[in-house]
Amino acid sequence: MVLGIASASRFYFKRGFGHSSVIRSSFCSLRSSSDMKEVSSDKGSSGSALAGGDSPALPPVKVGASLRSPSSVVQSTPEIEKKYVHRVYDAIAPHFSSTRFAKWPKVSAFLNSLAAGSLVLDAGCGNGKYLGLNPNCYFIGCDISAPLIKICADRGHEVLVADAVNLPYRTGYGDAAISIAVLHHLSTERRRRKAVDELIRVVKKGGFVLITVWAREQEDGALLNKWTPLTQKYLEEWVGPGSPRVRSPSSPLTLESIPEAEENGSREQLKEFTDKYTDLRSLQLRHLHMNSQAADLSLASLTKKGCEDQQEFFVPWHLPYHRAEVSGASANAVASGLAKKDDKKGAVVYNRYYHVFSEGELEKLVSGIGNAVVVDRFFDKSNWCIILEKIS
C-alpha cells in the first residue's frame, strides 16, 4: 500500500502502547529528546533488541521549530495522489485487504533473517500482512489509509496513520524497515527519493531497509494492455500543480512539465503549459495529414515507442457490486466521477496511479545517498527490489 500526508485520524496501540492520537500536521515526527529512554539488548548488539521481552514504547511526540529537521519539510501531496491513491484505497480497503494474504517468499526471508528482538518499521503496511511475521521481532506499521490501519489495529497490530515522505519516528529508531509496493504510488522523483531518505533515516547504523516497487518489465506483458497510459487522461482530468512529468505517446517531443518546485504553481503557469501542449499537438497533426501514408507509419512508430517508454499508468481495481462497501464511499465515488460502474463485470471500477520502475531506476534513485549502500538487488514477481544497509 501507500503513504501520503497524514490526515486527521486515530491510531491504537494495543499490547502496552497505550492510546494516542495522530498529530494533524505534515511536519509531525518523533525525535530524540533527553527524556526518551533507550532500550538496549542484553546481547550487546547494535540493534534495539528488547531485554526481557517487553514491548517497545514510542518516544513522546514533540512538535516545534527546534525539533524540525530538513528531512521533515515536505510540500503538500499532489492532487493525483490524493485522488487516485488515497481516496481509492480508503474506498476499497476491506476488499483490498481480503485479497492480500500471501507473503512474498523473499520478503519473508528478509524478515526472518533479522536478529531476535529487532524492531521493524513497515512503511505502507496496508492490511498488515507482514506485521508479526517473525515472532522474534517487534513490528510497528504505518499507512496513509485510515481504513486499512483500522483493519490492522483490529487484528492487534501496533499501527498508525502516517506519511511515507515524513515518517513519524525519531532518527535511528528501528533496526530494519520495509517498504513493500509503496514508492510506485508517489508521483514525482523527488517524493520517491524523499521516501527513501526517510526509510534510511529511521533505522540505526547497521540497520537494513528492503524496498520493492512494480517493474515496467512485467513477467506477464499482457497486463500492460489492461492499464491506461496516464497521458491519455492528463489534459482531460488532472493537469495541475504537482502532476508528474508526462510524455505524449504519439509525439517524439518531450513536453515540458510543471517543475516539482512549483507544485503550488499559479493558474497562469498551468494555462501556459496547457496552451503549449495544444499547439504542439496541432502542429504535429497538420504535419501528419500532409501525407496520409507517411502519417500512418509515423504515428504507428511513435505510438509504439511511446508505449515502450511509458511509466505512468492508471491500474484498475474492480470492486464487486456485492461488496458491502459499494453502498458507502463507492456510491459517492461513482456520483463524483472518481469511479465508474461496469455492469458487464458487475463491479465499480477505480483507477489507481502507478509509476512503474524501469530496470536500474531504483538503484539510480538511491545513488548518491552517502549514509547507505546497496547490499542486494533482485527481480521478484514483476518487482524490482533492493536491500540497503545504513553505514553511518
Side-chain angles (χ1 to χ4, degrees), residues 64-375:
S66 61
L67 297 176
R68 190 185 306 162
S69 70
S71 66
S72 69
V73 179
V74 294
Q75 293 181 324
S76 60
T77 305
E79 287 300 318
I80 186 172
E81 293 176 35
K82 292 179 183 177
K83 183 174 181 181
Y84 292 106
V85 182
H86 301 178
R87 289 178 61 189
V88 170
Y89 279 104
D90 284 352
I92 69 173
H95 185 230
F96 175 83
S97 177
S98 70
T99 68
R100 295 301 186 266
F101 49 85
K103 280 79 170 176
W104 292 357
K106 291 190 176 181
V107 176
S108 298
F110 172 82
L111 294 173
N112 285 324
S113 72
L114 300 174
S118 294
L119 175 60
V120 185
L121 308 174
D122 186 347
C125 62
N127 70 338
K129 71 177 184 179
Y130 291 113
L131 298 179
L133 183 142
N134 183 339
N136 298 314
C137 295
Y138 298 91
F139 290 78
I140 300 176
C142 61
D143 200 286
I144 191 55
S145 173
L148 284 173
I149 286 300
K150 184 179 185 305
I151 290 171
C152 294
D154 288 344
R155 294 175 176 177
H157 297 304
E158 283 76 41
V159 291
L160 58 104
V161 172
D163 178 358
V165 297
N166 189 33
L167 293 175
Y169 312 114
R170 60 181 167 82
T171 298
Y173 185 54
D175 298 290
I178 61 174
S179 171
I180 310 302
V182 174
L183 263 63
H184 50 228
H185 284 309
L186 302 178
S187 59
T188 67
E189 181 177 344
R190 181 166 141 191
R191 288 173 61 74
R192 294 188 285 269
R193 173 60 180 262
K194 181 63 167 58
V196 173
D197 287 341
E198 281 291 271
L199 289 165
I200 296 171
R201 180 186 66 77
V202 299
V203 299
K204 58 187 60 179
K205 181 180 178 181
F208 294 96
V209 174
L210 169 63
I211 301 171
T212 77
V213 293
W214 276 21
R216 175 65 181 80
E217 300 79 6
Q218 289 287 305
E219 294 171 344
D220 181 2
L223 279 176
L224 294 176
N225 297 326
K226 299 178 181 180
W227 301 350
T228 304
L230 203 77
T231 49
Q232 295 181 9
K233 294 200 173 188
Y234 185 79
L235 289 176
E236 299 173 13
E237 293 189 5
W238 55 268
V239 169
S243 298
R245 305 180 189 282
V246 296
R247 177 178 307 189
S248 170
S250 58
S251 172
L253 300 174
T254 300
L255 303 179
E256 293 181 6
S257 69
I258 300 173
E260 292 175 16
E262 297 175 6
E263 288 182 354
N264 296 315
S266 66
R267 292 181 179 273
E268 289 74 15
Q269 290 173 314
L270 175 58
K271 185 177 186 301
E272 180 182 353
F273 171 78
T274 306
D275 291 344
K276 186 168 185 178
Y277 178 90
T278 304
D279 291 342
L280 286 170
R281 293 289 291 135
S282 297
L283 286 171
Q284 184 192 31
L285 290 174
R286 284 200 297 271
H287 172 73
L288 291 176
H289 282 296
M290 290 175 63
N291 185 312
S292 59
Q293 185 176 8
D296 291 340
L297 291 173
S298 298
L299 186 59
S301 175
L302 293 173
T303 299
K304 181 179 180 180
K305 183 179 186 302
C307 289
E308 290 173 351
D309 294 339
Q310 179 66 33
Q311 291 182 258
E312 317 291 332
F313 290 96
F314 283 130
V315 179
W317 182 274
H318 293 81
L319 181 63
Y321 284 166
H322 67 265
R323 296 289 304 188
E325 57 266 38
V326 167
S327 61
S330 292
N332 294 330
V334 171
S336 67
L338 177 63
K340 297 180 180 180
K341 297 176 65 177
D342 185 337
D343 291 330
K344 290 184 178 180
K345 294 186 177 181
V348 174
V349 183
Y350 287 87
N351 278 317
R352 297 169 294 160
Y353 166 77
Y354 279 80
H355 168 87
V356 292
F357 282 64
S358 58
E359 184 175 6
E361 184 178 357
L362 190 53
E363 290 89 334
K364 181 180 178 181
L365 188 69
V366 303
S367 64
I369 297 178
N371 61 340
V373 295
V374 176
V375 295

